[in-house]
């Protein structure tokens, strides 16, 4: 069973870039069976999909965030990452990394989430 | 972008009662619809995938139905641990959207 763990700064200044990493254990991030992604949840609000990356390297982003988001994979470290540029207070949220098996939606794994606060 | 609208926003019921949650899509998502349960301080947990299939370890009191644009999550007899927030999620063309959530609270 895959396990995911987010890491990164808990506090980011406005206009800077938010950077988070998700470390995968229990399986290889190089597997063609899975896609890897990020989801966030502002305090007291609902879930918002940020984007996903597939084995092929293809990326898919939320249109509302697309101009500021980059998701990438580091196979040597079995990690994938999120970069969100030009952050504002509206980007304050719990950020979850998540993976699911392409073609097997019952195989769906989430990290525990990490709170990122945007404040000076 | 496919918009998912959940209703009601809040549902107040008692243990033992039947809960019916609705999710409507702005365009057809075929059967690519999932339901998640989220409790405070926890990551969402997959309950139902592909509209009507229970995920591993999910009790039989949870069931899903629907296709196209209209979907329903039913909890046949509420247990105390079922009071939480429920989200629907679609995955069409590799793009994902969530509904705004239904809060199921104890009456």
């Amino acid at each position: 069973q895959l396990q995911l763990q987010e890491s990164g700064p808990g506090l980011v200044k406005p206009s800077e870039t938010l950077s988070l990493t998700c470390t995968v254990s229990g399986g290889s991030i190089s597997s063609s069976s899975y896609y890897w992604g990020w989801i966030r949840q502002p305090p007291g609000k609902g879930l918002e999909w940020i984007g996903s990356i597939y084995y092929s390297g293809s990326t898919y982003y939320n249109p509302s965030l697309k101009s500021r988001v980059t998701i990438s994979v580091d196979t040597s470290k079995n990690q994938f990452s999120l970069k969100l540029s030009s952050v504002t207070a509206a980007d304050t949220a719990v950020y979850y990394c998540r993976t699911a098996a392409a073609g097997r939606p019952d195989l769906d794994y989430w990290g525990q989430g990490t709170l990122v606060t945007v404040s000076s | 972008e496919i918009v998912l609208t959940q209703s009601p926003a809040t549902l107040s019921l008692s243990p033992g009662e039947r809960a019916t949650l609705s999710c409507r899509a702005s365009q057809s998502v075929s059967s690519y619809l999932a339901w998640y349960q989220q409790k405070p301080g926890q990551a969402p947990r997959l309950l139902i995938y592909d509209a009507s299939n229970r995920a591993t370890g999910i009790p039989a009191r949870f069931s899903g139905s629907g296709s196209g644009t209209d979907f329903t999550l039913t909890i046949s007899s509420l247990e105390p641990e079922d009071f939480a927030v429920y989200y629907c999620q679609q995955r069409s063309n590799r793009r994902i959207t969530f509904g705004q959530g239904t809060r199921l609270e104890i009456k």
Side-chain angles (χ1 to χ4, degrees):
Chain A
Q1 178 167 329
L2 293 175
Q3 293 185 317
L4 285 69
Q5 178 66 59
E6 305 90 351
S7 60
L11 181 64
V12 180
K13 289 182 168 54
S15 79
E16 295 189 343
T17 295
L18 178 159
S19 296
L20 294 175
T21 297
C22 184
T23 301
V24 180
S25 58
S28 172
I29 202 167
S30 299
S31 169
S32 60
S33 301
Y34 288 85
Y35 63 89
W36 314 91
W38 292 90
I39 288 158
R40 70 180 184 179
Q41 185 171 35
K45 297 188 178 181
L47 301 166
E48 180 180 35
W49 174 68
I50 299 172
S52 305
I53 185 167
Y54 282 69
Y55 172 76
S56 62
S58 297
T59 52
Y60 301 84
Y61 298 131
N62 186 322
S64 69
L65 300 171
K66 186 175 182 178
S67 63
R68 299 194 290 132
V69 174
T70 302
I71 295 175
S72 59
V73 169
D74 185 337
T75 56
S76 67
K77 296 181 178 179
N78 223 36
Q79 295 174 335
F80 63 103
S81 65
L82 168 70
K83 291 188 185 301
L84 181 65
S85 64
S86 304
V87 297
T88 69
D91 295 309
T92 294
V94 174
Y95 286 76
Y96 295 99
C97 59
R98 179 262 195 114
T99 184
R104 285 287 307 274
D106 55 316
L107 301 180
D108 182 87
Y109 306 100
W110 294 60
Q112 65 185 24
T114 187
L115 174 63
V116 178
T117 301
V118 178
S119 175
S120 56
Chain B
E1 177 183 326
I2 296 175
V3 176
L4 298 180
T5 302
Q6 292 186 240
S7 60
T10 303
L11 186 57
S12 299
L13 293 170
S14 300
E17 291 192 293
R18 181 184 186 91
T20 302
L21 288 67
S22 175
C23 178
R24 176 164 290 179
S26 59
Q27 62 189 79
S28 176
V29 298
S30 185
S31 294
Y32 298 134
L33 195 286
W35 290 94
Y36 290 83
Q37 176 193 69
Q38 188 180 34
K39 296 181 179 179
Q42 297 183 15
R45 176 176 73 143
L46 178 67
L47 299 175
I48 301 289
Y49 66 93
D50 288 351
S52 61
N53 298 286
R54 270 191 307 276
T56 301
I58 301 304
R61 63 181 181 274
F62 290 91
S63 64
S65 63
S67 66
T69 61
D70 289 300
F71 301 86
T72 301
L73 173 68
T74 301
I75 310 171
S76 59
S77 179
L78 286 165
E79 297 288 340
E81 61 269 26
D82 298 337
F83 292 91
V85 179
Y86 292 83
Y87 294 95
C88 56
Q89 177 225 270
Q90 67 82 25
R91 56 179 180 85
S92 178
N93 294 322
R94 296 187 169 183
R95 288 161 179 82
I96 293 170
T97 52
F98 290 91
Q100 82 278 18
T102 289
R103 180 177 303 277
L104 179 55
E105 63 177 28
I106 299 176
K107 187 174 182 179

